[in-house]
Amino acid sequence: MNKPVIAGNWKMNMTPEETTGFFATFCSAWSADPSRTVCFFPPALSFEAARQALRDRPDILLGVQNIHWEAAGAFTGEVSARMAAGAGARLVLVGHSERRHVFGETDIETGRKVAAAAAAGLVPVLCVGETLAERRGDALEAVLTRQLQAGLEPSGEALPGPGLVLAYEPVWAIGTGVTATPEDASAAHRLLRRELDARYGRAASDVPILYGGSVNPENAAALLAAPGVDGLLVGGASLKPDAFARIASARPD
Ligand code: PGA
């Protein structure tokens, strides 16, 4: 398995100026560590400030939070995968729970976005996760399987593009301060790994599955130690350079 991926999703936070300030602090708190992959997803308008701030830090990768699946055209307010790649993005979040539940993004759209990202040379980070009602209704497996299949279907039989990352983010754990237990995370990751294996066979063994949902410096080590957890996708705590540096350097217990 690859080294752990520690990713920060800034959501709609951080102006360009704040981005510059963030990285001034983060880059002194965090030195390149060959045993970790660290990446950030700033908002589109702060992306260039992040890229500039990280000119001398090729160890830190950048991605965008969303793309449209079309390459160009009359889609006011959207950005394409090609634009993101041209701006220096290496990855893109697809199907984040806020896209699905606040903006009504459908399974079909996530599939189109994964395929468009891969075609443009971006690594899609396909996010999946169940709501509390779905978990209580015993629908965990059905929801994760459906979201995964729909997200990957349009890309065909081969693994999409330059790589694929999955993120398991239970909706009830995002921004709530309630974290899945390491056991819950492991169980969901096992399910996703089984689906990936069934779909791609050994080719999928390098696809990292990240956990996301109220990760903080205190729980990061235990989550990273959970079997099947290959990294962390961090929202709120990624806005604080020191907290995120502590998460990035957390070692499995
Ligand atoms: P959170 O967000 O860490 O603030 O719960 C995680 C995410 O949305 O990726």
Side-chain angles (χ1 to χ4, degrees):
M1 194 46 71
N2 286 334
K3 52 192 176 179
V5 177
I6 313 293
N9 170 18
W10 283 357
K11 311 190 181 188
M12 199 174 73
N13 296 292
M14 296 282 195
T15 63
E17 196 183 344
E18 287 163 351
T19 298
T20 306
F22 175 96
F23 282 119
T25 311
F26 182 74
C27 290
S28 21
W30 172 257
S31 320
D33 177 345
S35 71
R36 295 280 144 120
T37 300
V38 169
C39 63
F40 287 91
F41 295 88
L45 283 177
S46 298
F47 189 91
E48 179 58 18
R51 202 181 64 84
Q52 289 292 339
L54 295 174
R55 273 191 321 269
D56 302 326
R57 292 299 299 265
D59 59 302
I60 301 174
L61 308 181
L62 286 173
V64 292
Q65 297 175 10
N66 185 31
I67 49 160
H68 192 275
W69 56 87
E70 295 288 351
F75 300 101
T76 301
E78 299 288 325
V79 300
S80 72
R82 241 181 90 218
M83 289 169 192
R90 305 272 294 276
L91 310 99
V92 55
L93 297 178
V94 176
H96 185 274
S97 102
E98 285 141 24
R99 298 300 320 165
R100 294 178 191 267
H101 296 285
V102 181
F103 298 102
E105 191 164 305
T106 64
D107 286 338
I108 290 178
E109 288 169 347
T110 65
R112 290 179 179 149
K113 290 181 181 194
V114 167
L122 296 176
V123 174
V125 180
L126 177 61
C127 304
V128 297
E130 82 290 1
T131 62
L132 194 55
E134 289 165 338
R135 170 167 280 261
R136 288 189 173 143
D138 241 350
L140 174 71
E141 179 165 357
V143 171
L144 296 190
T145 309
R146 190 199 75 226
Q147 292 179 340
L148 190 63
Q149 284 178 354
L152 298 175
E153 205 61 58
S155 298
E157 281 175 21
L159 262 176
L164 173 69
V165 175
L166 290 188
Y168 169 59
E169 297 206 306
V171 180
W172 46 270
I174 297 180
T176 57
V178 181
T179 317
T181 63
E183 293 73 27
D184 285 342
S186 276
H189 285 222
R190 204 163 39 241
L191 233 147
L192 292 169
R193 179 64 63 195
R194 197 183 67 202
E195 283 299 313
L196 280 180
D197 286 349
R199 189 172 186 92
Y200 303 115
R202 286 191 47 201
S205 59
D206 279 346
V207 173
I209 307 179
L210 318 185
Y211 167 79
S214 296
V215 174
N216 60 42
E218 283 68 47
N219 60 26
L223 286 162
L224 276 178
V229 174
D230 306 314
L232 303 170
L233 181 52
V234 186
S238 74
L239 298 169
K240 301 176 201 121
D242 293 332
F244 192 69
R246 281 171 62 206
I247 293 171
S249 52
R251 302 282 151 197
D253 285 339

